[in-house]
Amino acid sequence: MTAAAGARAGLPTGDLGDGIYRNPVLPADWSDPDVVRVGADYYLTASSFGRAPGLPLLHSRDLVDWTLVGHALDRLEPADAFAVPRPDGGVWAPSLRHHDGRFWIFWGDPDHGIHQVNSPNIEGPWSRPHLVKPGRGLIDPCPLWDDESGETYLVHAWARSRSGVKNRLTGHRMSRDGRELLDEGRLLIDGDRVPGWFTLEGPKLYRHDGWFWILAPAGSVPTGWQGAFRARDFHGPYEERVVLQQGRTEVNGPHQGGWVRTPSGDDWFLHFQDRGAYGRVVHLQPMRWDADGWPVLGDDGAPVLVHEKPALPRRPPSGPATDDDFPGGRHGLQWQWAANSRPEWVIPHAGDGLRLACVPSTAADDVRRLPQVLTQRLPLRPCAVEVRLRLDDTDTDTDVGARAGLVVLGDAYSWIGLERGADGVLRLVHRFAERGAERERDAAHPRPAPGGTARLRVEVTDGARCRFSADTGDGFQPSGQVFAATPWGWCGAVLGLFAAASAAQATPGTATFAHFRVT
């Protein structure tokens, strides 16, 4: 689970130097984060929905500077359900814990139920997914191994889109090995009975100061708040309090995350903020306890923008990798396929550069439906993305319709790249599809691409406005209109590389990508 050698250092997180950080500390779509400390190390995982590999694993020593160290889920199961993109399904809101010398991750798949994987090491190997509770609409599970009572518990929320139920948290007793539930489950908190609360979800379960604590957001992702519930008994009754809300800040809907304590006893809370096309970015809030024993997050319950870093050993500013030279034809950890991958998509070779087969598909004219799109997160901050592409010649009589390119992909998308036309000539093309459109359209007039090579570029400015350009030998030339990126299902928009062909092609050719850079 180590990064490919060519995966270069990522864009900085929120570290400003001199012991100060600025939120968000992870300025990209690390949705529904959860965090755990083991010794001096901090680990974070996040939702990955239908992309594979899933369950990203990030590491930090200071809670501000994070690096991506692997994934806990190689393929999504059942495999047939994730043979095509499912940005609305798959891994929702995982919980990461460390117990009895092992790491544990529980997550809810809204169409199949609650799963868990575990490993003695963060690098793996991780166990195969185990279905703990089958059913539709079961989401956001969190376990607790309670050392005070010797019991093990599990709490989860509900997705109305699958079950018809929401705004409720259900609790179970669970076996110590995390494999089976020991009862039918009981309603712990009914959000409909809490005045003003709605869409209660994302529970994280803890034991502290003699109380059972459930930290859970409500009020919907874009506009909600973070709540805390406590009870002397796991089954309740629970009392509640709002512990983080937008207030007069610009941090809308501070939402869903995890509490972690440093070795010196300082408390911190990591949560997300929904930023539309950029997805759910991660903020770090200081945390303390008031005289009544309730947690106070941020600046007296409002999110902080700039703050002193945790009192932990200083680390050089860093972030998850973005750039890639694809050494030996391999891609770095920052990439995920849009669905479960197949070995024939990547063509092995001895040199550098990622060589992809132009996979024949009936969905070649709609990138949203292609599973063989290699994706990574769209950075929140303005950036320029560049990659070199060569569409390799095969038999020009049989690879008509072969295409490959760089895409900004969401419910709407735009891509620029190379395509072989019916006359056998390779051309630079730029296409897009609106939200809800069944087919893509030209965003600019095709132009010749001598030698079948091009440098492709997209500049992303505030508001996820994307300006495409390409260099086919005469310098970068702008292409098409400005494209406004959109979310993709429950995900933010993603950057992607793909190669495809019309379904009728038997030998459609290959595409080689090199020198992927985000600056």
Side-chain angles (χ1 to χ4, degrees), residues 10-55:
L11 298 177
T13 51
D15 196 336
L16 298 180
D18 297 326
I20 303 297
Y21 75 89
R22 177 186 297 274
N23 277 316
V25 293
L26 281 168
D29 187 24
W30 302 95
S31 178
D32 312 314
D34 195 24
V35 63
V36 68
R37 179 178 67 85
V38 181
D41 298 288
Y42 301 86
Y43 299 99
L44 181 147
T45 192
S47 296
S48 49
F49 300 102
R51 302 193 298 276
L55 290 173

Side-chain angles (χ1 to χ4, degrees), residues 272-283:
F272 77 75
Q273 174 200 12
D274 183 84
R275 293 296 302 268
Y278 297 107
R280 300 172 179 181
V281 302
V282 178
H283 291 237

Side-chain angles (χ1 to χ4, degrees), residues 288-299:
R288 60 180 176 85
W289 300 86
D290 70 14
D292 297 323
W294 286 91
V296 179
L297 306 184
D299 181 9

Side-chain angles (χ1 to χ4, degrees), residues 212-225:
F212 287 91
W213 289 91
I214 297 176
L215 303 183
S220 83
V221 167
T223 58
W225 57 88

Side-chain angles (χ1 to χ4, degrees), residues 256-459:
Q256 190 166 334
W259 162 37
V260 67
R261 174 167 286 176
T262 70
S264 63
D266 293 332
D267 294 307
W268 296 84
F269 186 77
L270 285 150
H271 68 93
F272 77 75
Q273 174 200 12
D274 183 84
R275 293 296 302 268
Y278 297 107
R280 300 172 179 181
V281 302
V282 178
H283 291 237
L284 177 66
Q285 303 296 335
M287 177 173 167
R288 60 180 176 85
W289 300 86
D290 70 14
D292 297 323
W294 286 91
V296 179
L297 306 184
D299 181 9
D300 289 329
V304 300
L305 178 62
V306 177
H307 197 272
E308 292 182 9
K309 290 179 64 176
L312 295 167
R314 295 286 180 87
R315 311 291 296 181
S318 65
T322 54
D323 297 358
D324 209 341
D325 287 319
F326 308 110
R330 297 172 293 117
H331 58 76
L333 293 175
Q334 66 268 37
W335 298 97
Q336 295 171 288
W337 296 100
N340 280 337
S341 65
R342 301 178 62 174
E344 60 266 29
W345 293 351
V346 179
I347 300 173
H349 67 107
D352 294 344
L354 183 69
R355 189 168 295 171
L356 301 181
C358 295
V359 179
S361 173
T362 57
D365 60 355
D366 189 346
V367 183
R368 294 165 296 199
R369 297 169 56 199
L370 295 177
Q372 73 273 18
V373 183
L374 196 61
T375 74
Q376 66 166 277
R377 292 159 180 83
L378 182 69
L380 173 65
R381 294 167 181 146
C383 64
V385 181
E386 187 176 323
V387 69
R388 296 181 184 179
L389 168 64
R390 184 179 77 247
L391 193 59
D392 297 325
D393 292 329
T394 54
D395 183 341
T396 58
D397 291 331
T398 59
D399 66 359
V400 169
R403 68 200 69 181
L406 168 67
V407 63
V408 177
L409 177 59
D411 292 335
Y413 70 86
S414 185
W415 70 274
I416 193 167
L418 300 174
E419 181 181 58
R420 186 175 295 281
D423 56 3
V425 175
L426 277 169
R427 293 181 175 85
L428 179 80
V429 296
H430 182 188
R431 299 205 172 100
F432 77 103
E434 302 165 84
R435 190 193 304 262
E438 296 182 0
R439 293 175 62 98
E440 62 189 18
R441 298 162 48 200
D442 283 328
H445 296 295
R447 68 176 193 251
T453 63
R455 287 195 298 162
L456 311 174
R457 182 179 176 92
V458 58
E459 297 178 43

Side-chain angles (χ1 to χ4, degrees), residues 33-335:
D34 195 24
V35 63
V36 68
R37 179 178 67 85
V38 181
D41 298 288
Y42 301 86
Y43 299 99
L44 181 147
T45 192
S47 296
S48 49
F49 300 102
R51 302 193 298 276
L55 290 173
L57 302 167
L58 290 87
H59 171 255
S60 178
R61 284 290 183 90
D62 62 6
L63 291 171
V64 172
D65 298 290
W66 295 88
T67 56
L68 180 64
V69 296
H71 293 83
L73 187 62
D74 291 333
R75 297 176 63 79
L76 287 86
E77 296 185 8
D80 290 348
F82 297 98
V84 295
R86 288 289 313 279
D88 63 338
V91 176
W92 282 26
S95 290
L96 173 62
R97 293 293 181 265
H98 190 262
H99 167 73
D100 196 24
R102 302 185 73 86
F103 290 93
W104 302 79
I105 303 179
F106 285 71
W107 75 93
D109 178 325
D111 298 301
H112 300 100
I114 293 170
H115 297 77
Q116 63 97 336
V117 293
N118 61 85
S119 171
N121 302 298
I122 200 71
E123 298 86 3
W126 289 81
S127 63
R128 285 195 60 180
H130 173 73
L131 185 61
V132 178
K133 182 178 181 180
R136 288 177 58 81
L138 309 176
I139 59 169
D140 307 352
C142 184
L144 172 68
W145 285 268
D146 181 18
D147 293 333
E148 295 186 32
S149 66
E151 297 282 359
T152 306
Y153 301 101
L154 183 81
V155 62
H156 71 82
W158 296 84
R160 185 171 65 181
S161 60
R162 270 68 164 192
S163 65
V165 176
K166 73 166 188 173
N167 209 30
R168 298 176 186 173
L169 303 182
T170 296
H172 291 269
R173 293 176 55 246
M174 185 170 65
S175 62
R176 297 291 282 181
D177 63 4
R179 294 186 64 83
E180 61 179 326
L181 303 178
L182 303 181
D183 57 32
E184 295 299 315
R186 289 172 59 178
L187 179 64
L188 300 184
I189 302 169
D190 184 349
D192 291 345
R193 295 181 176 272
V194 182
W197 287 58
F198 61 97
T199 317
L200 177 63
E201 57 188 354
K204 294 294 183 284
L205 180 60
Y206 306 94
R207 194 81 146 105
H208 171 67
D209 197 27
W211 297 88
F212 287 91
W213 289 91
I214 297 176
L215 303 183
S220 83
V221 167
T223 58
W225 57 88
Q226 178 67 38
F229 298 80
R230 71 179 183 183
R232 291 296 185 183
D233 183 87
F234 172 68
H235 293 106
Y238 283 86
E239 51 184 320
E240 83 285 340
R241 182 172 292 185
V242 175
V243 294
L244 186 70
Q245 56 188 328
Q246 179 172 353
R248 296 184 178 181
T249 76
E250 296 181 357
V251 183
N252 59 292
H255 212 77
Q256 190 166 334
W259 162 37
V260 67
R261 174 167 286 176
T262 70
S264 63
D266 293 332
D267 294 307
W268 296 84
F269 186 77
L270 285 150
H271 68 93
F272 77 75
Q273 174 200 12
D274 183 84
R275 293 296 302 268
Y278 297 107
R280 300 172 179 181
V281 302
V282 178
H283 291 237
L284 177 66
Q285 303 296 335
M287 177 173 167
R288 60 180 176 85
W289 300 86
D290 70 14
D292 297 323
W294 286 91
V296 179
L297 306 184
D299 181 9
D300 289 329
V304 300
L305 178 62
V306 177
H307 197 272
E308 292 182 9
K309 290 179 64 176
L312 295 167
R314 295 286 180 87
R315 311 291 296 181
S318 65
T322 54
D323 297 358
D324 209 341
D325 287 319
F326 308 110
R330 297 172 293 117
H331 58 76
L333 293 175
Q334 66 268 37
W335 298 97

